Amino acid sequence: MKKFILVSLILLLGWQPLIGIAADSPQTVVETTSERMLDALRENRATLQKDPRQIYDLVNEIVLPHFDFTVMSRWVLGKYWRQATAEQRSRFVEEFRTLLVRTYSQALLEYSNETIKFLPMPQLAPEAKDVTVRSEFHPQTGAPIPVNYSLHLFEGEWKIYDVTVDGVSLVTNYRSTFADQIRADGIEAVINSLAERNRE
């Protein structure tokens, strides 16, 4: 899972804008995010080497606002989302968000300038509400890895709700993990366990 997150984060940080796209396009949102994040890394490199935990604040502030955690959480829980109370849903969204912040932060510290190729994206229709952006991650050794970003338009902003790396969906991957845990222990126990893990 850590390697999965690392690849998707590298692509997020390495995203380059396409020529002629509108200011509010998915590419522009991610490109702006990448510029801010890379600038922050350069400015805080010495501090992060001394105290890597400060990366959490940078990721939380710069990267994570571009994810729709409610949609991600709903899809991750699947049928258990409908069975959960409003309070349980709220707690799960918060703990799942914290989990991704921590995972992305650790992955970011391992970024080592791998290269990315972005595939052509068709012109967005004015009524488009859901898009997939295709790209390829080129590791320093080995074959390129296809990566797809799924974004939807929410309250006038493009938000990421899933990342698929080499055919494996981030949401589906977590859904399988949490479903096994919920069947065994129940959703309340899973939320409590996730909260304890996040406090470590």
Side-chain angles (χ1 to χ4, degrees):
M1 177 61 73
K2 188 174 182 180
K3 181 178 180 182
F4 184 100
I5 295 293
L6 174 58
V7 172
S8 59
L9 177 64
I10 288 171
L11 283 160
L12 178 62
L13 292 177
W15 205 301
Q16 299 297 321
L18 299 179
I19 297 174
I21 50 180
D24 295 329
S25 72
Q27 287 86 354
T28 299
V29 169
V30 184
E31 188 270 338
T32 301
T33 301
S34 73
E35 287 184 356
R36 291 186 61 204
M37 191 70 239
L38 293 175
D39 285 346
L41 286 175
R42 285 188 289 266
E43 294 170 3
N44 295 277
R45 189 174 302 279
T47 301
L48 292 173
Q49 289 176 345
K50 295 178 181 179
D51 184 9
R53 292 174 298 179
Q54 293 197 27
I55 193 67
Y56 296 152
D57 291 335
L58 294 176
V59 171
N60 192 41
E61 175 187 353
I62 299 172
V63 178
L64 274 296
H66 300 290
F67 284 77
D68 189 332
F69 290 100
T70 300
V71 168
M72 294 178 75
S73 297
R74 187 170 70 236
W75 285 17
V76 163
L77 288 183
K79 66 180 181 180
Y80 299 109
W81 177 268
R82 296 189 296 274
Q83 299 174 12
T85 66
E87 189 263 347
Q88 287 174 326
R89 292 176 181 177
S90 177
R91 287 167 54 211
F92 182 84
V93 171
E94 180 63 26
E95 298 300 340
F96 185 58
R97 182 181 188 277
T98 301
L99 172 66
L100 289 186
V101 168
R102 295 184 59 179
T103 306
Y104 266 73
S105 297
Q106 292 301 314
L108 183 56
L109 292 173
E110 299 179 15
Y111 176 61
S112 57
N113 296 316
E114 290 83 353
T115 60
I116 301 101
K117 176 182 178 182
F118 298 96
L119 306 181
M121 182 177 177
Q123 184 70 31
L124 288 181
E127 68 277 10
K129 304 294 184 183
D130 197 290
V131 299
T132 299
V133 180
R134 299 178 300 140
S135 52
E136 292 178 344
F137 168 67
H138 290 252
Q140 295 178 354
T141 61
I145 302 171
V147 178
N148 293 342
Y149 278 91
S150 299
L151 302 93
H152 74 145
L153 195 60
F154 178 71
E155 296 183 349
E157 296 183 13
W158 288 101
K159 299 282 188 177
I160 299 168
Y161 65 87
D162 196 12
V163 182
T164 301
V165 178
D166 202 14
V168 180
S169 159
L170 173 71
V171 167
T172 301
N173 205 353
Y174 272 116
R175 181 165 56 201
S176 177
T177 299
F178 285 122
D180 290 341
Q181 296 174 354
I182 293 173
R183 280 193 295 268
D185 303 315
I187 190 169
E188 184 67 22
V190 168
I191 295 172
N192 291 336
S193 176
L194 187 57
E196 291 178 7
R197 178 180 173 184
N198 286 333
R199 286 195 295 266
E200 293 177 357

